[in-house]
Structures are given as C-alpha cells and as structure tokens.
Amino acid sequence: MRSSGRNNRDSGRGNYRGAGNQRDEKQQRAGRPRPEERRYDVGGTSGSGGSSDRKDERKDERRGGGPKGGAPKSGGSRGAAARGGAKGGPRTGAAAKGRPGGKSGGPQRGRGQAPARPREYDAQVEERNRARHDKPQVKTPKTFGDQEGERLQKVLARAGMGSRRACEELIDQARVEVNGQIVMEQGVRVDPEKDEIKVDGLTVATQSYLFFALNKPAGVVSTMEDPDGRQCLGDYVTNRETRLFHVGRLDTETEGIILLTNHGELAHRLTHPRYGVKKTYLAAIQGPLPRDLGKQLKDGIQLEDGYARADHFRVVENTGKNYLVEVTLHEGRKHIVRRMLSEAGFPVDKLVRTSFGPIALGDQKSGWLRRMTNTEVGMLMREVEL
C-alpha cells in the first residue's frame, strides 16, 4: 500500500514536472526566459510606477498575452525587451524619455506628462543667472590717463556765454584768452577756480558766483536783516540758496541801483576808495541855481568830516524853480550827495542813484531784482582790476 502511494505521488510529480518542462520549452521557443531567470530593476527613481507596471505585466502573462504592448514581432527583439525587465526597468532611446527610470530622473506625475523640474534645480539656475549679472564691470584702461580740468568751451557755455558751438566760434575768432594768452585751438582744458578767462578783454565769472542788481525803493533799509522788522534788502533774496550781501549802501529814503553778490573780493574793491568806482545820482532840488554851482561842487565842499568833491555835475531838467541835476562822484561816505548840496544851499527833495560804475539802472522798475549779464560782470571786474 505504501509503495503504491509513493508510486502515485511520484507519478503525479512526474506529470507536474513534465507539464512544467513543456511550459518552459514553449517560453523558450517564444523567446521568453523562465520565471526564475527574469530580472526586475526596482532600484530606479520611478517610485510606485515600477510596481504598478509589474502588476500589469503579471496580469498580461496570466492571460497568456505576454507583457503589455502585444506579441513581439520577432524573437530576438522580444528577448531583448524581456532581458531589459518590466516596464519599471531601464530603457534606452526615445522610450526612456519621460518614463520612470529614464534620463529625466524626475518624479512622474502621470502618464504622458512632462516630468516636473525639482525646486533645487530651479534655485541653482536662478543663482547662476544672478551671479552672471552681478559680475563687476570691467573698466577698460585709459590710453592717456585722466586729463585735468574742463574743456574751455564747456566752461564758457556754463558761464552763460552761449552754446558750446557758439563758444567754439569765439575761440576760433581769437576772442578768448586764458591767463593772458589768446587761445588759438579747440579742446584746451582749464581750471575754472584758478585760471583767469576773458572774452573780448572782459573777465568771465566761471566760478559759482552770483551778481544781481536791485532797484531799491524808498523806505527799504540797506541791510540783509533788520532787527526792527523793517523792510530790507534780504526780503528780495529770501529764496536764494547762497548767502548774498550788498555792495555799499543807500540811505533809507534814497532809491536806485544797489548791487548784491557773493563775490567778496569784488564787493570789497567796488567800495574801496583806492579804485575810485564812480556812482551817478539824480537829485531834485529847488532853484534858482547859481551858474557856478557845478564849479563849487567840483572844487570841493567843506563838510564836518573833510572836503567832498564831485567828479561831474550838470543840470538835466528845469521846470520853473524845480531842478533835476546829475551828480557823479567816486566817494562813498554816508549821505554825501545830500550833505554836499545842502551845504551849498540846496536841500535835496528826492535822490535816485542811476548807475554804479558801468552798471546802469536803465528802465528797471522800482523793487525789481535782475541778474547781471556776463558782460556787465566783466566790466565791473575790469573796473577794479580783477
């Protein structure tokens, strides 16, 4: 009984082994390896995609249709595909792009979609772009080095002598001189703070100096600030960034031109007796006037602080007993015109200063402030040898 049972089991095993051998032979003929010879690559970056593909392949094998994709066209190609493993295994060529375990190496969101780029890679790209644009600018070497000073035509244009083209024409016409030498070529560089620049013999104020002429009304005090709160010269220049000061004085009731500037040396020389800058006044007095009044004023009038002499005198207008006379003198003592005419017997009713050196009041209205032209500034500087 035992031997018969063993024989039955052995025969069953033989039948099973025979069936297995027959199945293996069929797989070999179809180009498929045995189950124990199949290799699955599960070490890729595909994550769960490989396992799902393997499940699909097993289902297909159980159905007898082989892995997904249908029956192979040839045994050699199917065998190569089988040796490559299931869908989760490594692939080559175009099939590897965008597939798990392929060249992209990125995680798969779904079938048929492009792989998402890792954030770390985006950060590296942005860092490289930023480093490329943050490189320090390379400075090219200068052949001749830094040249000192500014071009002469640029300095003249900034000083108000015209456009740069017009200033170049002044240089071509030999009308510009620097430090006493006439400039005959373009491109000469100068230092505006040190060099003396003249056009047609008149000095050009190339520095940051300001020059103004004010027609002072009667009742305005000749100071920049008044502690008593009266109207003063500073009220006309309150919006100036640079501090200005007046050149000389006019008494409160005297009208006419008064200069304002921030050029200290020019202001000093314009008021110094050594340079003898002449001032002209129009005075309204009552007549009749003696014929020798002009001679008396030119010869000198004795005042309490010494003799005062006029440089010029003439009668401008006469209406009945009302006379309008013009007096020119180079002294600058306090109330000197009023005191001279009063000492001669003719008190002044109204006094207006019409010129200060070469700068004339002209038709400038009372209370108006105007900026002096470069020509006027040059004439003033020539008057005091600047």
Side-chain angles (χ1 to χ4, degrees):
M1 294 296 291
R2 292 181 180 177
S3 61
S4 63
R6 289 178 180 175
N7 293 332
N8 293 332
R9 285 195 299 268
D10 291 340
S11 62
R13 290 175 183 174
N15 294 332
Y16 176 77
R17 289 175 182 174
N21 293 334
Q22 293 177 2
R23 186 171 60 252
D24 293 342
E25 290 176 0
K26 291 180 180 180
Q27 290 179 354
Q28 288 179 359
R29 286 196 299 269
R32 294 196 299 270
R34 294 180 179 180
E36 60 270 14
E37 293 179 355
R38 290 176 180 168
R39 295 187 299 273
Y40 295 95
D41 188 3
V42 295
T45 59
S46 61
S48 61
S51 60
S52 62
D53 292 339
R54 287 197 298 273
K55 292 179 181 178
D56 297 337
E57 186 181 23
R58 291 170 186 168
K59 293 179 181 178
D60 295 337
E61 287 177 358
R62 284 195 295 268
R63 293 170 183 169
K68 283 186 178 181
K73 294 182 180 179
S74 63
S77 61
R78 186 64 191 90
R83 285 193 298 272
K87 274 193 169 182
R91 294 175 182 269
T92 58
K97 295 182 181 179
R99 292 287 187 177
K103 290 185 179 180
S104 63
Q108 276 287 337
R109 297 183 179 179
R111 294 183 178 180
Q113 295 183 0
R117 197 160 60 180
R119 294 183 179 179
E120 294 78 3
Y121 182 76
D122 291 337
Q124 292 176 3
V125 172
E126 184 178 356
E127 186 176 355
R128 285 197 299 268
N129 292 337
R130 190 175 301 170
R132 186 187 306 117
H133 293 290
D134 289 346
K135 289 182 179 180
Q137 186 177 3
V138 180
K139 294 184 178 180
T140 57
K142 294 184 179 180
T143 307
F144 302 101
D146 294 333
Q147 297 184 5
E148 297 181 356
E150 297 181 72
R151 292 183 179 273
L152 180 57
Q153 59 266 33
K154 182 179 178 180
V155 175
L156 292 174
R158 189 173 63 247
M161 300 302 298
S163 63
R164 291 192 185 183
R165 179 57 186 162
C167 294
E168 291 175 357
E169 294 179 358
L170 293 177
I171 296 174
D172 292 337
Q173 297 168 6
R175 298 169 58 184
V176 183
E177 58 181 281
V178 178
N179 298 328
Q181 299 292 328
I182 297 178
V183 179
M184 302 299 297
E185 59 182 5
Q186 301 289 342
V188 174
R189 292 183 175 269
V190 297
D191 186 351
E193 300 294 333
K194 299 179 181 179
D195 295 329
E196 183 184 32
I197 304 174
K198 294 184 178 181
V199 176
D200 296 334
L202 301 179
T203 303
V204 178
T206 56
Q207 297 85 353
S208 56
Y209 292 130
L210 299 176
F211 305 90
F212 294 94
L214 171 68
N215 186 357
K216 186 188 86 66
V220 177
V221 183
S222 294
T223 58
M224 302 307 293
E225 295 181 1
D226 185 67
D228 298 331
R230 295 173 295 179
Q231 190 177 9
C232 61
L233 300 177
D235 297 334
Y236 294 89
V237 291
T238 53
N239 58 340
R240 303 292 171 184
E241 296 180 358
T242 305
R243 180 179 178 272
L244 302 174
F245 44 88
H246 52 89
V247 180
R249 291 177 178 270
L250 286 175
D251 60 87
T252 305
E253 298 303 322
T254 301
E255 305 176 26
I257 188 169
I258 188 169
L259 306 183
L260 303 172
T261 183
N262 60 348
H263 195 305
E265 181 62 23
L266 177 62
H268 170 70
R269 294 194 182 194
L270 288 174
T271 55
H272 199 283
R274 171 189 170 185
Y275 297 97
V277 179
K278 295 181 179 180
K279 280 81 68 176
T280 302
Y281 299 82
L282 281 178
I285 58 177
Q286 298 291 325
L289 303 182
R291 299 184 62 179
D292 61 344
L293 178 59
K295 184 177 181 303
Q296 295 179 29
L297 296 175
K298 292 178 183 179
D299 292 340
I301 301 294
Q302 179 66 42
L303 303 177
E304 60 272 15
D305 53 354
Y307 273 92
R309 294 180 176 85
D311 296 314
H312 179 73
F313 175 85
R314 72 184 182 99
V315 176
V316 177
E317 186 178 327
N318 177 25
T319 305
K321 294 183 178 182
N322 299 321
Y323 285 81
L324 188 64
V325 298
E326 183 182 81
V327 181
T328 302
L329 66 168
H330 61 273
E331 296 188 49
R333 283 183 277 177
K334 185 177 180 179
H335 305 311
I336 186 170
V337 177
R338 292 180 181 272
R339 288 194 293 159
M340 288 176 64
L341 291 175
S342 181
E343 190 66 26
F346 304 97
V348 176
D349 296 332
K350 186 177 180 180
L351 187 64
V352 178
R353 182 159 69 184
T354 58
S355 66
F356 191 110
I359 311 303
L361 181 62
D363 58 354
Q364 186 175 347
K365 295 182 180 180
S366 179
W368 280 33
L369 179 77
R370 69 174 180 88
R371 189 159 187 169
M372 296 169 57
T373 65
N374 286 281
T375 302
E376 291 176 324
V377 174
M379 291 189 297
L380 273 179
M381 291 187 172
R382 181 172 62 182
E383 189 81 11
V384 295
E385 302 174 6
L386 275 178

